[in-house]
C-alpha cells in the first residue's frame, strides 16, 4: 500500500531533450539568410526573410525552455551533455542561432538593441567554443567519436559571427571571427576527414551530420562577401573550389541518406544546404551568367523545399523519438559502407 502511494506521488518523468534539437532554429535561420540575400539583390520580398528570422527566434526560445526544464529536472543532465563526446558540440547551436536573428532581424528595427544582443551571443559563442576546445584537449576522446558536428562550436560559431559582425558594422571584429572560423576549419577539417576516410563508418544516428561537410566553405563565402562586399577575388574562388568538391561528394552519399529513418537529426541538412544556396545566390548575382535569375530562384526554391519538408516531418518525430544519442558511440555500420 505504501509503495502504491509513493508511486502515485512520484513526479512524472521528464522527456530527454537532445541537444541536436537546437538545429531546428539554426536551420530556419539559415533559410532566412537565403531569402534575405535574394531580397537584398532585389528578387524577393524582404519581409519573408525577416518573418523566417522571427520563426527561428520563437523555435529557439521554445527549445531553450524545453531544454532548461529538462536540465533543471534531471540531476547532472547539463554537465553530462556538455561533456558528452558525441552530443556536446550541438550545444553550441543554442548560442550561435540568436546571432543571425539579432544582426539581420532585430538590428533592422533597433540598431542599438540588435548590436547589444548580437555582441552578447558572440561572446557566449567564443567562450563556449574555447571551453569545448579545452575540454577536447583535457578529456579523453577516441578518434571514432569525432564527427562533422565538431565544426559547430568554433567553425560555424566563428563564421556566423563574422557575417553578423559585418551586418552590425563591426568589421574588424568580423575579420577576427573569420580568422577563428577559418583556422579551426583547417585544423578540425583534416582530423574529421581522416576519421571519415580511415575509420569505421559513423553510426546511423550521426550519418546526417555528413551534410555539415558542405557548410564551412559556403558559410565562409557568405561571411567573406559580407565583409568584403559583392565581388569575386582569388580567396572567394578558392572557397568555391573546395565547396564544389564537397557538394559533389554528397552525391555519392545520397543512396545512404535515402535509406535513413527520419529523425530530428535531419536538421543537420538544413543550415548546411541553406548556406550553399546563399553562396550560389551571391555567385550568380555577382557574375550574372546567362540565365542567372533561374539559378538564383532554383537555389532559393531547393533550400526552401528541403527545409519545409524536414519541418513538416519534425513535429511527430520530435515527440516520438530522440535525436543524437548520448554516451559512447556504438559501432553499428552506417547504411552503406565506405
Amino acid at each position: 500500500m505504501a509503495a502504491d502511494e509513493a508511486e502515485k506521488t512520484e513526479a512524472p518523468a521528464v522527456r530527454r531533450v537532445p541537444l541536436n534539437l537546437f538545429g531546428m532554429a539554426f536551420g530556419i535561420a539559415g533559410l532566412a539568410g537565403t531569402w534575405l540575400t535574394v531580397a537584398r539583390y532585389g528578387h524577393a520580398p524582404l519581409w519573408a526573410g525577416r518573418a523566417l528570422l522571427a520563426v527561428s527566434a520563437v523555435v529557439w526560445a521554445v527549445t531553450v525552455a524545453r531544454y532548461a526544464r529538462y536540465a533543471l529536472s534531471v540531476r547532472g543532465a547539463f554537465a553530462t551533455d556538455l561533456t558528452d563526446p558525441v552530443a556536446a558540440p550541438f550545444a553550441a547551436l543554442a548560442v550561435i542561432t540568436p546571432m543571425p536573428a539579432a544582426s539581420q532581424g532585430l538590428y533592422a528595427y533597433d540598431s542599438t538593441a540588435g548590436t547589444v544582443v548580437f555582441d552578447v551571443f558572440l561572446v557566449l559563442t567564443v567562450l563556449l567554443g574555447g571551453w569545448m576546445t579545452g575540454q577536447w584537449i583535457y578529456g579523453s576522446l577516441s578518434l571514432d567519436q569525432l564527427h562533422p558536428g565538431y565544426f559547430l562550436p568554433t567553425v560555424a560559431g566563428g563564421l556566423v559571427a563574422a557575417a553578423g559582425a559585418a551586418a552590425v558594422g563591426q568589421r574588424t571584429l568580423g575579420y577576427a571571427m573569420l580568422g577563428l572560423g577559418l583556422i579551426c576549419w583547417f585544423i578540425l577539417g583534416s582530423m574529421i576527414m581522416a576519421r571519415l576516410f580511415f575509420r569505421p563508418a559513423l553510426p546511423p544516428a550521426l550519418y546526417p551530420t555528413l551534410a555539415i561537410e558542405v557548410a564551412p566553405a559556403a558559410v565562409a563565402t557568405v561571411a567573406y562577401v559580407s565583409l568584403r562586399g559583392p565581388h569575386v577575388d582569388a580567396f572567394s574562388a578558392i572557397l568555391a573550389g573546395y565547396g564544389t568538391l564537397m557538394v559533389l561528394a554528397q552525391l555519392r552519399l545520397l543512396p545512404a541518406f535515402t535509406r535513413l529513418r527520419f529523425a530530428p537529426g535531419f536538421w543537420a541538412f538544413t543550415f548546411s544546404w541553406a548556406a550553399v544556396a546563399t553562396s550560389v545566390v551571391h555567385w550568380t548575382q555577382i557574375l550574372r551568367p546567362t540565365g542567372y535569375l533561374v539559378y538564383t530562384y532554383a537555389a532559393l526554391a531547393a533550400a526552401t523545399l528541403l527545409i519545409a519538408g524536414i519541418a513538416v516531418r519534425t513535429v511527430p518525430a520530435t515527440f516520438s523519438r530522440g535525436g543524437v544519442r548520448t554516451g559512447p558511440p556504438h559501432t553499428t555500420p552506417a547504411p552503406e559502407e565506405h
Side-chain angles (χ1 to χ4, degrees), residues 13-137:
V14 176
R15 183 184 294 272
R16 188 178 74 87
V17 179
L19 290 171
N20 66 334
L21 286 186
F22 284 103
M24 293 189 291
F26 193 49
I28 297 169
L31 181 60
T34 307
W35 275 88
L36 287 171
T37 300
V38 176
R40 285 163 187 155
Y41 284 114
H43 305 301
L46 197 60
W47 63 262
R50 289 178 176 168
L52 284 168
L53 281 179
V55 172
S56 170
V58 170
V59 173
W60 174 82
V62 170
T63 308
V64 167
R66 286 187 61 197
Y67 183 81
R69 178 173 178 268
Y70 159 70
L72 292 172
S73 301
V74 179
R75 185 188 299 272
F78 182 62
T80 299
D81 280 348
L82 278 188
T83 55
D84 186 276
V86 175
F90 296 97
L93 298 180
V95 292
I96 295 171
T97 302
M99 289 194 289
S103 61
Q104 299 183 66
L106 181 58
Y107 184 82
Y109 300 98
D110 187 328
S111 59
T112 300
T115 302
V116 169
V117 173
F118 170 78
D119 286 344
V120 166
F121 281 98
L122 182 148
V123 170
L124 291 175
T125 296
V126 173
L127 289 175
L128 183 60
W131 185 88
M132 285 193 170
T133 301
Q135 171 65 20
W136 299 337
I137 294 170

Side-chain angles (χ1 to χ4, degrees), residues 154-155 158-159 162 172-187 223 227 235:
T154 53
V155 181
L159 297 177
T172 301
L173 177 61
Y175 279 112
M177 293 297 99
L178 181 65
L180 186 156
L182 287 175
I183 293 172
C184 289
W185 171 28
F186 299 154
I187 295 170
L227 289 165
F235 185 66

Side-chain angles (χ1 to χ4, degrees), residues 159-234:
L159 297 177
V160 170
V168 301
Q170 299 174 334
R171 302 183 72 80
T172 301
L173 177 61
Y175 279 112
M177 293 297 99
L178 181 65
L180 186 156
L182 287 175
I183 293 172
C184 289
W185 171 28
F186 299 154
I187 295 170
L188 287 171
S190 60
M191 293 190 291
I192 292 170
M193 278 297 186
R195 182 262 180 269
L196 296 176
F197 283 3
F198 303 115
R199 297 297 302 158
L202 291 172
L206 289 174
Y207 222 60
T209 66
L210 292 173
I212 298 174
E213 286 291 335
V214 304
V219 184
T221 297
V222 173
Y224 190 66
V225 170
S226 300
L227 289 165
R228 295 278 294 170
H231 65 271
V232 173
D233 60 15

